[in-house]
Amino acid sequence: MKFVLLIALFCSYSINAQSQEFNPETNDVPLYQLASYTNVGDAAYSIEDIQLNNDLIYKPLQSENHSVGFTSDNFWIQFKLTNSQATEHVYYLETARPITDVANLYQIAAAGTERFKSGDQIAFSERQVNHRATVFKIKLPPNSTQHFYVHLKSDGETINIPLNLYNESEFLQNTYHQQLFLGLFYGVLLLAGIIYLFFYISLKERSFLYYGLYVFSIALLQAALDGLLFEFVWPESGYLNSRMVLITALLSNLFLLKYCEHFLDIKSHFKNIVKYYQVIYVVIISLFTCIFINEFTLKITYPISNVNGLISLLLILFTVFVMRYRKIALDAFFSIGILFLVIGLLGFVMNNLSLLPNNFYTENSAKFGSGLEVIFLSLSMTNLIRKLREEKEVSQALALKKSEEISEVKTYFMSNMSHELRTPLNAILGATQEQLEQQNGAVDSSCLEIIKNASYSLLSNINDILDFVKN
């Protein structure tokens, strides 16, 4: 009996959700509370089919940014807007994620049905509103109530159903704030990436290379999620544009692991843990291949890559905890940066997996986490630069000390050699001179003259060599 009552209550709530009208000027509740949605699966219904199909069950939206998880199904959302004034009103409706493949708005009026297109599977110029997000411009005639339907479909990525309605001034102000936030966010990422690639070119330390590549891949991933790559790089849509989220996500996963592996010197400290990193590398390569095989492998790559990213974060955390436990020196800024990254990406991945409520903070948790992580990891890399400089200064001091020791040995050697070589030669010369003075025979004196002249020549050569070495 209770079950029957629950069904009746649910059906009555669904019917009320379908029939309630939303007046943007007078309603205090948000639009999503008066809207409802239905999942029609793989069925490619037209707007006429949706209007005539009385068997469809509509459910109420549960939040301002309702998520239906990873799916390739077709979703239809309906709501009614009322204009009770004598003048036409213009509104902007922002819905779905910028990377949603199909996003069409249908406005049902007495004169007929109008369709407005969006989504990233059409050319950017075909969108009703040239905006990076999924935005529609709605014109409400005076003293009228009109029925609206939104059709959403993706290739396996998460589908969100926000229904944010703005008037023209609110929409412009919101766009300005978004552009300011995105400009600061991408500016920090690009600056950090360029700087640390220059450091790599100068110092040849691989940590700088992988960190710079990781920052660039994170920037590209967020740009794909925000619809900026579609707007500015691939405005005609196409094959690569539909796969850029997965490509950049897998690259950022790969470069983050390689950066941590080299920065933490895992091969020296943990030979066993390196195997787990190598296993994830193989998984990343396999997922990268699945992106380009067919539509089914593309669909399953979305959730698997999110889970793989989550496992990668847990592996990095495990490595950090083991290093702390074994009292291996670890930069504090690195730990803080990884903590922010883990919190941000954990929120993002769990939001994609529908494990967290969908709101502004969970939706943008990756941006907050990545931004703070880049700041703290940059401080950590600054400490690494200082450490490398100090090691270089120590090596230079040791080299100078060794050079001084060699110089002292050389001086000692030269002073001894000068004495050891000149003394016997002078003795030979002295003895030869004495024999010459005592000899009367010409033959004997000529031999002694040869010894004397050869000794003088040898002594002169030794003096020249010793003087050259001293200089």
Side-chain angles (χ1 to χ4, degrees):
M1 185 66 180
K2 291 182 179 179
F3 181 74
V4 175
L5 289 174
L6 287 174
I7 294 293
L9 181 63
F10 176 77
C11 292
S12 86
Y13 188 87
S14 298
I15 293 170
N16 289 334
Q18 295 181 44
S19 59
Q20 290 185 26
E21 302 167 359
F22 180 80
N23 190 327
E25 305 299 326
T26 60
N27 274 90
D28 295 329
V29 298
L31 174 59
Y32 82 88
Q33 292 187 5
L34 303 180
S36 57
Y37 76 99
T38 185
N39 180 1
V40 298
D42 296 332
Y45 289 146
S46 65
I47 182 61
E48 291 78 13
D49 296 331
I50 294 295
Q51 288 180 285
L52 296 174
N53 194 334
N54 296 321
D55 296 329
L56 297 177
I57 299 175
Y58 286 84
K59 302 176 184 178
L61 297 174
Q62 299 299 323
S63 67
E64 62 182 356
N65 195 19
H66 184 87
S67 174
V68 295
F70 294 97
T71 179
S72 60
D73 291 344
N74 291 273
F75 289 85
W76 288 83
I77 304 95
Q78 66 167 352
F79 55 90
K80 293 180 181 180
L81 297 181
T82 297
N83 179 9
S84 58
Q85 300 183 8
T87 58
E88 181 184 76
H89 282 194
V90 176
Y91 298 99
Y92 289 87
L93 175 69
E94 183 177 356
T95 184
R97 304 171 76 189
I99 57 173
T100 304
D101 291 350
V102 177
N104 294 325
L105 174 71
Y106 296 88
Q107 183 173 3
I108 313 300
T113 301
E114 285 190 271
R115 185 180 77 160
F116 307 104
K117 294 191 295 183
S118 189
D120 67 353
Q121 291 302 298
I122 60 172
F124 190 80
S125 58
E126 294 181 27
R127 287 188 167 190
Q128 183 204 15
V129 179
N130 290 331
H131 194 279
R132 63 170 189 84
T134 305
V135 176
F136 298 100
K137 186 176 181 180
I138 296 176
K139 296 181 180 180
L140 276 182
N143 299 314
S144 66
T145 297
Q146 295 192 338
H147 204 156
F148 293 86
Y149 288 90
V150 177
H151 176 211
L152 301 178
K153 188 183 186 308
S154 190
D155 57 3
E157 178 58 285
T158 300
I159 290 182
N160 290 356
I161 313 177
L163 294 175
N164 301 317
L165 197 66
Y166 307 100
N167 58 39
E168 288 188 278
S169 61
E170 290 173 340
F171 177 72
L172 292 175
Q173 186 176 16
N174 184 62
T175 301
Y176 169 77
H177 290 156
Q178 287 181 357
Q179 290 176 342
L180 180 62
F181 172 72
L182 294 177
L184 292 172
F185 175 73
Y186 289 112
V188 169
L189 292 183
L190 292 177
L191 183 62
I194 292 171
I195 288 174
Y196 286 102
L197 285 182
F198 277 123
F199 280 143
Y200 168 73
I201 295 172
S202 175
L203 301 174
K204 302 301 180 184
E205 172 65 34
R206 284 194 177 183
S207 298
F208 294 107
L209 172 63
Y210 289 124
Y211 181 68
L213 293 175
Y214 164 69
V215 171
F216 279 126
S217 62
I218 280 290
L220 288 173
L221 171 60
Q222 293 298 326
L225 290 171
D226 290 331
L228 295 173
L229 291 184
F230 176 43
E231 181 177 1
F232 297 108
V233 181
W234 287 287
E236 298 302 318
S237 185
Y239 187 79
L240 280 178
N241 178 66
S242 63
R243 289 161 173 77
M244 279 307 295
V245 171
L246 283 174
I247 292 172
T248 53
L250 292 173
L251 288 177
S252 62
N253 192 351
L254 172 65
F255 291 136
L256 175 62
L257 288 172
K258 294 297 292 184
Y259 160 66
C260 292
E261 180 184 343
H262 283 80
F263 184 84
L264 300 176
D265 196 13
I266 294 175
K267 288 185 178 180
S268 300
H269 297 304
F270 314 106
K271 292 183 179 180
N272 293 329
I273 295 181
V274 172
K275 298 177 182 178
Y276 298 108
Y277 280 80
Q278 292 172 346
V279 169
I280 295 183
Y281 295 150
V282 173
V283 173
I284 291 174
I285 294 172
S286 302
L287 291 174
F288 199 86
T289 305
C290 290
I291 296 174
F292 304 100
I293 296 177
N294 55 44
E295 295 300 322
F296 174 75
T297 58
L298 174 65
K299 177 182 176 180
I300 64 173
T301 302
Y302 280 107
I304 296 176
S305 62
N306 276 264
V307 174
N308 186 66
L310 190 59
I311 294 173
S312 301
L313 293 176
L314 294 176
L315 178 59
I316 294 171
L317 274 181
F318 175 75
T319 307
V320 171
F321 286 144
V322 172
M323 292 185 71
R324 290 289 186 187
Y325 178 76
R326 295 186 180 181
K327 297 182 180 180
I328 300 173
L330 182 63
D331 187 82
F333 288 124
F334 176 85
S335 301
I336 297 172
I338 290 298
L339 178 62
F340 278 116
L341 175 66
V342 168
I343 293 173
L345 293 186
L346 188 63
F348 178 74
V349 172
M350 293 182 70
N351 179 54
N352 282 345
L353 296 172
S354 300
L355 299 176
L356 286 178
N358 205 309
N359 54 48
F360 173 79
Y361 298 102
T362 56
E363 184 183 4
N364 293 283
S365 59
K367 285 189 178 66
F368 295 128
S370 299
L372 292 171
E373 171 254 349
V374 165
I375 293 173
F376 282 99
L377 288 190
S378 295
L379 293 174
S380 175
M381 297 299 278
T382 303
N383 287 341
L384 177 60
I385 294 171
R386 185 184 64 194
K387 180 181 177 182
L388 293 173
R389 188 187 70 245
E390 290 174 351
E391 290 177 352
K392 184 177 181 181
E393 290 174 353
V394 170
S395 64
Q396 288 176 340
L398 290 173
L400 180 60
K401 184 178 180 181
K402 289 182 179 179
S403 177
E404 291 175 349
E405 291 175 353
I406 292 172
S407 180
E408 290 177 0
V409 172
K410 174 182 168 184
T411 302
Y412 176 78
F413 172 78
M414 294 306 301
S415 62
N416 278 276
M417 286 299 295
S418 175
H419 173 74
E420 296 296 332
L421 291 174
R422 288 191 178 104
T423 298
L425 282 174
N426 287 327
I428 293 171
L429 287 170
T432 304
Q433 184 63 34
E434 184 177 351
Q435 288 296 319
L436 284 171
E437 292 174 354
Q438 294 177 0
Q439 290 292 331
N440 295 324
V443 176
D444 293 334
S445 63
S446 64
C447 291
L448 292 174
E449 285 291 341
I450 291 171
I451 295 172
K452 176 183 175 182
N453 291 334
S455 297
Y456 273 121
S457 176
L458 179 59
L459 181 62
S460 176
N461 290 334
I462 289 173
N463 288 333
D464 290 341
I465 291 171
L466 292 175
D467 290 340
F468 176 76
V469 172
K470 287 179 181 179
N471 296 329

